[in-house]
Amino acid sequence: DQQVKQNSPSLSVQEGRISILNCDYTNSMFDYFLWYKKYPAEGPTFLISISSIKDKNEDGRFTVFLNKSAKHLSLHIVPSQPGDSAVYFCAASILSRAAGNKLTFGGGTRVLVKP
Amino acid sequence: EAQVTQNPRYLITVTGKKLTVTCSQNMNHEYMSWYRQDPGLGLRQIYYSMNVEVTDKGDVPEGYKVSRKEKRNFPLILESPSPNQTSLYFCASSFLVVGGYNSPLHFGNGTRLTVT
């Protein structure tokens, strides 16, 4: 059973508008969450992260929101640009030495930003 | 340039023919890991290594082996590949703890494996 789920496999948005990507998780032990972006024929690259002690983290056009009680996080991209067209993966981890740096990934959301 | 290098990028093989996918990183990372990506399932961890000579199973280790004899290298070995191992494979590395948080994983560009 998938512990991290991205229920929207794809999203299409107009350039300049907001993109909202959603992610749900089931394991309450997760305490660190990340978003990765992936272009075709490349590996995923780190975008932004958030610790479970926060409910919001912002980095330029990217903001991640965390709702621990709902076990839900979202990524907002404002404004969306054509270069943002990619697959976005939500990932979760447990911050402990024993867990190493294991990430549990969602299935991904393909974003298409139309000019 | 800091990077994770995987080879080969594409590989087509037949059932049962042993193969190795190499992975090397130049960032002096302690932690290295292999993931496979399948449609709708995201990336799933196969094996990981916390340091030289320390390896352990991830979520989908069956049919795979790894070794960590040097800090920079972490090859993935398929002793007897089967069609269900057809997938896109990613090697990743990171420091373990930076400022109380795990540092982000750096990924290679992937190896597309087809087993017929």
Side-chain angles (χ1 to χ4, degrees), chain A residues 23-95:
Chain A
C23 177
D24 297 296
Y25 62 96
T26 56
N27 188 344
S28 56
M29 297 292 290
F30 289 142
D31 54 6
Y32 192 56
F33 304 89
L34 309 91
W35 285 92
Y36 278 80
K37 176 179 181 179
K38 185 184 177 305
Y39 292 119
E42 294 183 11
T45 55
F46 169 71
L47 194 56
I48 192 169
S49 63
I50 187 167
S51 161
S52 60
I53 63 172
K54 296 186 175 181
D55 54 19
K56 176 183 174 181
N57 188 27
E58 204 169 341
D59 183 1
R61 296 186 297 112
F62 303 92
T63 303
V64 56
F65 296 92
L66 175 62
N67 182 334
K68 277 199 314 183
S69 60
K71 294 192 178 72
H72 177 83
L73 63 155
S74 62
L75 175 68
H76 292 206
I77 307 173
V78 184
S80 300
Q81 299 174 354
D84 296 330
S85 297
V87 177
Y88 290 79
F89 289 100
C90 169
S93 68
I94 299 170
L95 286 174

Side-chain angles (χ1 to χ4, degrees), chain A residues 2-3 31-32 34 36 38 41-46 51 53-54 87 89 93-108, chain B residues 9-10 31 35 37-45 48 50 58-59 88 90 94-97 100-110:
Chain A
Q2 282 189 278
Q3 298 184 66
D31 54 6
Y32 192 56
L34 309 91
Y36 278 80
K38 185 184 177 305
E42 294 183 11
T45 55
F46 169 71
S51 161
I53 63 172
K54 296 186 175 181
V87 177
F89 289 100
S93 68
I94 299 170
L95 286 174
S96 79
R97 187 80 188 180
N101 199 1
K102 177 185 176 180
L103 298 184
T104 300
F105 285 85
Chain B
R9 292 293 310 272
Y10 300 92
Y31 184 86
Y35 285 82
Q37 182 190 351
D38 301 290
L41 297 178
L43 286 81
R44 294 177 293 166
Q45 191 183 54
Y48 67 95
M50 303 267 265
D59 293 324
L88 178 58
F90 290 102
S94 74
F95 295 113
L96 270 174
V97 178
Y101 297 109
N102 285 336
S103 69
L105 282 175
H106 295 254
F107 284 86
N109 283 333

Side-chain angles (χ1 to χ4, degrees), chain A residues 1-32:
Chain A
D1 188 34
Q2 282 189 278
Q3 298 184 66
V4 178
K5 285 187 180 176
Q6 295 174 252
N7 290 319
S8 298
S10 64
L11 172 70
S12 182
V13 65
Q14 209 65 36
E15 181 179 5
R17 306 294 293 266
I18 184 171
S19 295
I20 300 176
L21 290 76
N22 293 303
C23 177
D24 297 296
Y25 62 96
T26 56
N27 188 344
S28 56
M29 297 292 290
F30 289 142
D31 54 6
Y32 192 56

